[in-house]
Amino acid sequence: MSNLWLPKWIVNHHAPRAALGGFSARFLSWGTALALLGGVGWTASAAQAADEPEATLLDEVIVTATRLPTSREEVASSITVVTAEEIEQKQQRTIVDVLRTVPGLNVVQQGGPGNVAAVFMRGTNANQTLVLIDGIEVNDPSSPNGAFDFGKLLTGNVERIEILRGPQSTLYGSDAIGGVINVITKKGEGAPSLTTRFEGGSFATNSQYIALHGATPIVNYSASFERFATDNVSITPADDRPPNADDETDPYENFSTSIRLGLTPADNFELDLIARYVDTQLDLDVSPEDPNSLSKTKGLFLRGEGDLILFDGLFQQRLGVSYTDYDRVDTNDPDFLSSDSSRTTNDASKLKFDWQGDVYVLDDQIVTFGLETEEEEIDSNSQFSSGFTSATEEKARTDAAFVQGKFAYADRLFGTVGVRIDDHELFSSEETYRITGAYLLRETGTKLKATYGTGFKAPTLFQLFAVSSFFGFRIFRGNPDLQPETSKGWDAGFEQSLFDRRLSFGATFFRNDIENLIESSPDFTTLINVGEAETWGVETYVAAELDENLTARADYSYIRAQDAIEGDELLRRPKHKASASIVYSPLPGVHVVLDTLFVGRRADIDAVTFARITDPSFSVTNLALAYDFLDGWRLFGRIENMFDRNYQDPDGFAQRGIGGFAGVSGTF
């Protein structure tokens, strides 16, 4: 089992530890009070469990659900883990491709690779999911609604992705109403190794990847470089093409670099430095078949952290600092279709300090507390030849304190209780809490689980302070009196394994009630807190190991998401979604993966008339094949959309048809 990004001293001591944290001197008194509250009730259960035999842990360890490495069988939250092995089996080159089949999620991309992509988790809005890369919050502060654009993220050097569903603000603060998506990159280990991959195929697609990994007893290192380029197809459907316009492609190019360095000068102390840089360029269709609109995005993500263990393992802590920086420029010059021109610049950053401490009352009774402080800043400006302008230049600070108690009893009952306070300098503090519990019937292979929690989404700097004008006359202004969007959510379900875990299935029912949604005022001149939404449904799965060379899995999600005031179905959230995958190795070194995605009908807005419509359902099937022909070397190929389905998702944005891709990879 990979040790992921855990400090070496944790691996050596076989002790759970903190994955993330928080820091703010202003909240030392809060943290102390909350820690005392969190300790109530843990001592008794810890004493009862002291004489029980140690739990037999499953191989898979989950980090995101509790901010502590935790055996999957002990986690009550609904979580999906996608590993590097699964990504490589399916030959998925973008995070969008990975997330499409995850239960409870609907991924909407405005065209092919590189175009803006949004994730709707359990029916919540796309801006209500927090995204982390190695503990760095990467949601774009310059985005008007704060949503993360998944379209620019490649899978190179990704070790695993943990998708945590349900309100998670107690541990992660703002944006985590729908859940958290945590991307964890590879950490160097073992002897030095070099991995390369070269690939080409349809739509003038080509990609190159090279990575170096290794470790010594004191230093570990991991560095990668990835380039992905494609001409795509025109995102404008043929029916929407102007009479005098030709079909034109919308090229995309992405350069991504990832670096991780670790230093372990002592068994109880470790330092880590994480850096990621993304540079992309994409042709847009601001208007149908626009030949010269362009978007350039640069993203820099940095994190430094130190881990220290004290008192013979009874107290573990992490101090970290993260920095996120976006530089995005969108331009559109006049052309034969339109004399209009525009230029939009977005510069945004987020600086965050965090500290987390874990007190081990006993091995399975842990009190975690943390402090955080972060500052967001935005400088955005748009100029249109039509006379429209928009500008935002502001910054805001948020401080937070949280505490969580993690408990276990009799090697059967596992759970957490947590509370958090966030203090935003522009509005009053926000309190959230979360309770989880899982009960194992080991004799029958049954797991019962349930969670209840609250969440919130703070208004963005754009929503608070943006000013838009038309020929000097103000037509829109942000509302500095906006309050956070808030939610209450629960889920409950079961997981069942049979035949020595060769067959497993389960179901989870959930519901979220969201209030204070930020929407346009009746005259569209500002924003107000008036919206309410309800989402509920069920996520089910069945997985089978038919023999040592053949496995299969199927997932189905039923989600109802509607406006709680008007009763309308929320846009771009299908009620029915299903996926199935078969992995087969008919001969030594030969690997075959067949996977299918079905997305049901969903409400949308017509891209031309802006009328409310219902998009038809669609299905997409992919086939991936690979052959390990030498030690460490592999030939591979895949067919995407192998039945050449023609569909739009969302309306007005054509998706790519059938495509073939092939390449070679090697590690030495």
Side-chain angles (χ1 to χ4, degrees), residues 182-512:
N182 188 11
V183 179
I184 302 169
T185 61
K186 294 178 180 178
K187 184 175 183 177
E189 57 183 18
S193 64
L194 185 68
T195 299
T196 61
R197 185 186 71 231
F198 302 91
E199 178 181 294
S202 300
F203 317 112
T205 300
N206 65 92
S207 67
Q208 303 83 39
Y209 171 76
I210 184 169
L212 176 66
H213 305 279
T216 70
I218 297 178
V219 178
N220 64 79
Y221 52 90
S222 172
S224 70
F225 172 81
E226 185 171 15
R227 175 184 175 272
F228 180 93
T230 181
D231 275 357
N232 274 318
V233 296
S234 175
I235 65 174
T236 301
D239 293 343
D240 297 341
R241 187 177 303 144
N244 58 339
D246 295 326
D247 180 10
E248 53 92 29
T249 61
D250 294 307
Y252 167 65
E253 190 169 26
N254 182 314
F255 295 89
S256 294
T257 302
S258 177
I259 299 174
R260 295 193 60 147
L261 297 174
L263 178 65
T264 311
D267 286 344
N268 69 333
F269 181 57
E270 182 172 1
L271 293 171
D272 284 285
L273 174 64
I274 300 164
R276 187 179 188 90
Y277 178 72
V278 179
D279 188 345
T280 72
Q281 178 171 302
L282 172 69
D283 278 21
L284 300 171
D285 277 358
V286 174
S287 58
E289 300 295 10
D290 193 321
N292 56 9
S293 52
L294 194 66
S295 178
K296 297 181 179 180
T297 301
K298 296 179 181 179
L300 176 64
F301 314 106
L302 301 173
R303 181 168 175 83
E305 58 191 28
D307 297 274
L308 179 66
I309 184 171
L310 297 171
F311 309 120
D312 198 26
L314 296 179
F315 181 51
Q316 301 171 7
Q317 57 181 321
R318 166 173 288 185
L319 176 66
V321 56
S322 300
Y323 179 71
T324 296
D325 182 81
Y326 282 97
D327 181 3
R328 187 173 68 253
V329 179
D330 297 341
T331 58
N332 183 27
D333 296 328
D335 52 61
F336 69 96
L337 291 175
S338 174
S339 60
D340 290 340
S341 63
S342 64
R343 179 180 176 85
T344 298
T345 61
N346 290 282
D347 295 317
S349 64
K350 178 185 293 186
L351 178 64
K352 180 176 181 178
F353 294 89
D354 55 77
W355 178 86
Q356 179 171 314
D358 305 305
V359 179
Y360 286 76
V361 181
L362 287 174
D363 285 346
D364 295 324
Q365 322 296 325
I366 309 166
V367 177
T368 296
F369 52 94
L371 304 167
E372 302 176 355
T373 182
E374 69 177 32
E375 185 173 80
E376 291 184 332
E377 189 170 359
I378 178 177
D379 184 358
S380 178
N381 188 281
S382 297
Q383 301 284 338
F384 290 76
S385 61
S386 62
F388 175 82
T389 64
S390 180
T392 310
E393 185 175 2
E394 283 291 344
K395 60 183 179 181
R397 176 178 170 180
T398 304
D399 299 312
F402 68 88
V403 64
Q404 172 188 259
K406 180 175 180 289
F407 64 89
Y409 176 72
D411 195 29
R412 289 183 180 271
L413 178 64
F414 306 91
T416 64
V417 177
V419 295
R420 180 186 179 104
I421 300 175
D422 285 84
D423 185 23
H424 194 289
E425 66 172 302
L426 300 177
F427 50 80
S428 59
S429 62
E430 192 69 30
E431 297 81 28
T432 53
Y433 61 90
R434 182 169 170 83
I435 304 170
T436 76
Y439 187 77
L440 303 180
L441 296 169
R442 298 188 183 277
E443 297 81 1
T444 61
T446 306
K447 174 180 176 180
L448 305 176
K449 59 179 185 175
T451 74
Y452 183 87
T454 59
F456 81 100
K457 168 74 172 71
T460 67
L461 293 175
F462 178 93
Q463 292 170 333
L464 291 166
F465 299 111
V467 176
S468 299
S469 302
F470 185 70
F471 285 112
F473 294 95
R474 193 179 74 197
I475 59 175
F476 174 85
R477 186 181 185 90
N479 182 358
D481 295 325
L482 287 173
Q483 295 298 304
E485 300 173 340
T486 60
S487 74
K488 297 178 181 178
W490 62 265
D491 59 29
F494 74 93
E495 299 173 14
Q496 178 68 53
S497 63
L498 301 171
F499 310 118
D500 196 24
R501 296 196 179 102
R502 295 174 66 89
L503 174 66
S504 62
F505 55 92
T508 301
F509 300 85
F510 66 88
R511 181 181 176 91
N512 294 296

Side-chain angles (χ1 to χ4, degrees), residues 577-588:
K577 175 191 168 184
S579 62
S581 180
I582 298 174
V583 180
Y584 182 43
S585 297
L587 296 170

